[in-house]
Amino acid sequence: MTSSELWTRETADRYDAEETEMSSAAVLGPTVAFLAELAGDGRALEFAVGTGRVGVPLRESGVPVVGIELSTDMAAVLRRKVGEDVLPVTIGDMATTVVPGEFTLVYLVYNTITNLLTQDEQVECFRNAARHLAPGGRFVIELGVPPLRLLPPGQVAVPFDVSERHLGFDTFDLVEQILVSNHFTRDGEDGRYRRGNSRHRYAWPAELDLMARIAGLELERRVADWDGAPFAQDSPKHISVWRKPA
């Protein structure tokens, strides 16, 4: 039983409309190019494939893609875009679900490993990635760096978006290493806002490296974005690549 919160049909149906920036060519172009280079001539497995924001264009680039997805509603949205024969999806959690065959690439994007709310489950996610990788294959994670440096003493909230139609801020439980992402989104033009929130377990890059070692993977590369900018102490996120020894 996974601790991940299940995405509902309502959330799945509006997901793409609310993630137009993340679905833009400016974002997906470098993302797909980065992943396709690592996949090479092999197959790619996406943990938490969702509505296919990344999986569908990666498949269109020529890389065979298989997905694992916990939410049947998110998978249903993906299925409106491509058939099962084009991008097969297995319903299950990314920490324990196993699909047939080996892959040269397993990837997990857009902070999604934080949906696993315990350290044990995050470790199992790494082990599951290693289980699916062919020797020499890579596991890729895109993840934000916890913005705890922005917290003055006594403060537990950090805003990440303040715009005309959306207010977003994270609140932190520093003991349990849990953040709650809070959203107030204006629907329509009547001035009313819809409130939503989700829980996440944040982790530092060094903690992920230790999880990788437990799973038998080795850090190969860490950059600040999909364009390959150097990762620095003030980078807000990282793209990390771990390799399964040949």
Side-chain angles (χ1 to χ4, degrees), residues 95-207:
T96 63
T97 301
V98 177
V99 298
E102 286 188 326
F103 300 83
T104 56
L105 174 67
V106 178
Y107 65 96
L108 182 55
V109 297
Y110 204 16
N111 304 319
T112 309
I113 193 171
T114 66
N115 289 357
L116 297 170
L117 298 178
T118 70
Q119 185 183 69
D120 285 344
E121 287 181 329
Q122 291 180 355
V123 168
E124 288 306 312
C125 182
F126 273 83
R127 284 179 166 151
N128 200 29
R131 182 180 298 122
H132 286 91
L133 284 172
R138 275 91 169 192
F139 182 35
V140 176
I141 285 182
E142 175 190 22
L143 183 60
V145 177
L148 301 189
R149 295 171 64 188
L150 302 178
L151 287 173
Q155 181 173 313
V156 296
V158 173
F160 58 84
D161 184 31
V162 180
S163 58
E164 182 180 355
R165 305 194 69 87
H166 179 253
L167 169 64
F169 62 93
D170 292 331
T171 56
F172 292 84
D173 181 334
L174 303 181
V175 175
E176 298 297 329
Q177 215 164 301
I178 295 291
L179 71 83
V180 178
S181 184
N182 300 273
H183 302 265
F184 291 84
T185 306
R186 191 169 76 181
D187 286 331
E189 302 300 330
D190 59 4
R192 291 185 298 176
Y193 281 78
R194 168 173 43 83
R195 179 178 181 176
N197 60 65
S198 58
R199 295 186 301 150
H200 306 266
R201 182 185 187 273
Y202 63 86
W204 300 95
E207 184 181 3

Side-chain angles (χ1 to χ4, degrees), residues 205-246:
E207 184 181 3
L208 299 184
D209 289 342
L210 184 55
M211 294 181 188
R213 288 179 62 187
I214 292 171
L217 305 176
E218 303 170 347
L219 180 66
E220 181 177 75
R221 184 184 183 196
R222 174 167 290 129
V223 293
D225 57 33
W226 295 108
D227 290 310
F231 180 72
Q233 64 178 4
D234 58 348
S235 298
K237 76 171 186 179
H238 61 98
I239 314 296
S240 295
V241 181
W242 298 274
R243 184 174 182 271
K244 184 174 182 176

